[in-house]
Amino acid sequence: MRSRTRPEATMSGPDFIPAAVRARLRDLRLDGRRATGGHGFGQHRSRSRGAGLEFAQYRAYEPGDELRQVDWKLYARSDRFFVREAERDSPLTAWVLVDTSASMAQGDAARSGWNRLDLARGLAACAFELALRQGDQFGFAAIGGDGLHLVPAGAGPRQRDRCLLGLHALRSGGGWPDEGRLRPLWERIGPGHLVLVLSDGFDEACIGLMEKLSAARREVMHLQLLTAEERDFPFRGGHRFRDPESGEERVTDAPSARAAFLAEFTDARRRQHARLAAAGIRSDVAWLDEPMDLPLRRLLAPGAAERA
């Protein structure tokens, strides 16, 4: 069995983010390839020019320019007025979609009392924190047996608290709802919005939704939430496996089934990643026994968008 960095043992109160993880979030940022200029200022470069935060070029002063944009040091050297022009920073609207179907209740012995839905809560809270720090808008949707539950996009600490309350209310159960019940998503998630999907990726309808969102010019990222037991298959002797959504059970001799399972499971993940990449969707795996910032770091690393 491969060794893993030991995840933080405790959560940080009601916000789901351990203190050590929160400290490591400082150098992460949500970013979208399709971020465009719009309303307000955020931390995402657009092609428009204005009084943003990052220097782009000098130009000659024109009547109506704000005096604070004048470079007075350059004036002292040249006796001419020049204005520092910057690339305007555009706000991002980010959405976190959490799968709450029955399979998200799956945990394993590698981390007792911790399951896929717990990890989804923590990852979602991290995404809200990043968006809050960046001055972006963000919203939240839970999708599962109870249908669709939405927290409309907003900004600021109160919006973060509304989303955290939504995370506290999450319960896993049932299967993926039919397409008709997800129609409100299309009314809220607009073109160019960033969508982070937190799911085990086992429902074909979930994969189909991501593909449709990406085809409709939404920026989609996916973290597949998987257990350490699915990665390592450490079982011994006879073992009963049960599908939490269908109830179907299978009894097998674990040691003799290990090689075939790992080969099939690895191949299935590889094929799913290739399918999502073909649709322009960034994807990675979040394992239950690793610190929650690690999959975010892989997914949001520079160049991850180009690799998708």
Side-chain angles (χ1 to χ4, degrees), residues 270-287:
R270 186 182 299 114
R271 284 187 280 107
Q272 184 181 101
H273 179 84
R275 175 180 172 182
L276 294 176
I281 298 169
R282 286 183 265 174
S283 64
D284 212 302
V285 175
W287 303 103

Side-chain angles (χ1 to χ4, degrees), residues 3 18 24 31 36 39 50 59 65 86 90 101 122 129 133 141-142 148 160 163 233 246 277 279 290:
S3 63
R24 294 194 296 267
D31 199 6
T36 56
H39 307 289
R59 63 170 173 79
D65 286 333
S90 62
S101 60
E129 187 68 22
R133 292 180 184 181
L148 173 68
R160 185 263 319 274
C163 290
F233 205 80
S246 68
E290 67 179 353

Side-chain angles (χ1 to χ4, degrees), residues 150-164:
L150 270 169
V151 176
R158 289 187 179 181
Q159 172 67 8
R160 185 263 319 274
D161 294 343
R162 283 190 287 268
C163 290
L164 292 179

Side-chain angles (χ1 to χ4, degrees), residues 26-277:
R26 293 171 185 166
D27 62 342
L28 283 180
R29 55 194 303 270
L30 292 174
D31 199 6
R33 288 167 292 177
R34 295 166 178 162
T36 56
H39 307 289
F41 290 92
Q43 294 185 10
H44 309 277
R45 185 178 300 170
S46 74
R47 297 178 181 177
S48 59
R49 302 287 185 183
L53 299 178
E54 187 164 341
F55 174 74
Q57 65 182 11
Y58 286 108
R59 63 170 173 79
Y61 174 84
E62 298 176 356
D65 286 333
E66 296 183 27
L67 291 178
R68 64 184 177 86
Q69 293 178 251
V70 174
D71 190 308
W72 296 105
K73 291 183 179 179
L74 185 57
Y75 167 75
R77 296 195 302 269
S78 65
D79 201 32
R80 297 178 61 189
F81 292 107
F82 288 94
V83 169
R84 291 174 60 90
E85 191 172 61
E87 291 187 328
R88 185 178 299 276
D89 297 320
S90 62
L92 177 76
T93 299
W95 290 87
V96 178
L97 273 54
V98 177
D99 178 356
T100 61
S101 60
S103 61
M104 292 292 286
Q106 181 68 40
D108 62 27
R111 191 174 181 184
S112 179
W114 181 254
N115 60 33
R116 285 197 253 259
L117 189 59
D118 293 324
L119 178 56
R121 289 189 182 100
L123 290 167
C126 289
F128 301 150
E129 187 68 22
L130 292 176
L132 177 66
R133 292 180 184 181
Q134 295 172 187
D136 293 326
Q137 292 197 338
F138 52 97
F140 162 65
I143 306 173
D146 291 335
L148 173 68
H149 297 279
L150 270 169
V151 176
R158 289 187 179 181
Q159 172 67 8
R160 185 263 319 274
D161 294 343
R162 283 190 287 268
C163 290
L164 292 179
L165 284 174
L167 293 180
H168 276 283
L170 294 183
R171 299 292 182 273
S172 58
W176 195 261
D178 61 66
E179 190 172 345
R181 300 181 72 180
L182 302 182
R183 194 168 294 116
L185 283 176
W186 298 98
E187 300 170 2
R188 300 284 186 174
I189 303 177
H193 288 189
L194 179 68
V195 184
L196 172 61
V197 180
L198 303 173
S199 168
D200 55 28
F202 293 156
D203 284 287
E204 170 62 27
C206 176
I207 303 299
L209 173 64
M210 288 191 280
E211 290 175 324
K212 290 177 182 178
L213 285 169
S214 183
R217 296 180 51 245
R218 279 68 171 173
E219 178 86 17
V220 182
M221 300 187 296
H222 176 229
L223 279 176
Q224 185 179 24
L225 280 50
L226 298 176
T227 69
E229 291 175 345
E230 288 166 323
R231 182 192 65 222
D232 302 323
F233 205 80
F235 308 106
R236 299 175 181 274
H239 205 86
R240 183 187 302 272
F241 298 92
R242 180 177 181 275
D243 187 315
E245 294 185 10
S246 68
E248 181 180 350
E249 293 186 348
R250 179 180 177 181
V251 179
T252 187
D253 178 64
S256 62
R258 184 174 188 272
F261 171 84
L262 290 178
E264 292 177 11
F265 193 67
T266 300
D267 183 62
R269 289 199 296 110
R270 186 182 299 114
R271 284 187 280 107
Q272 184 181 101
H273 179 84
R275 175 180 172 182
L276 294 176

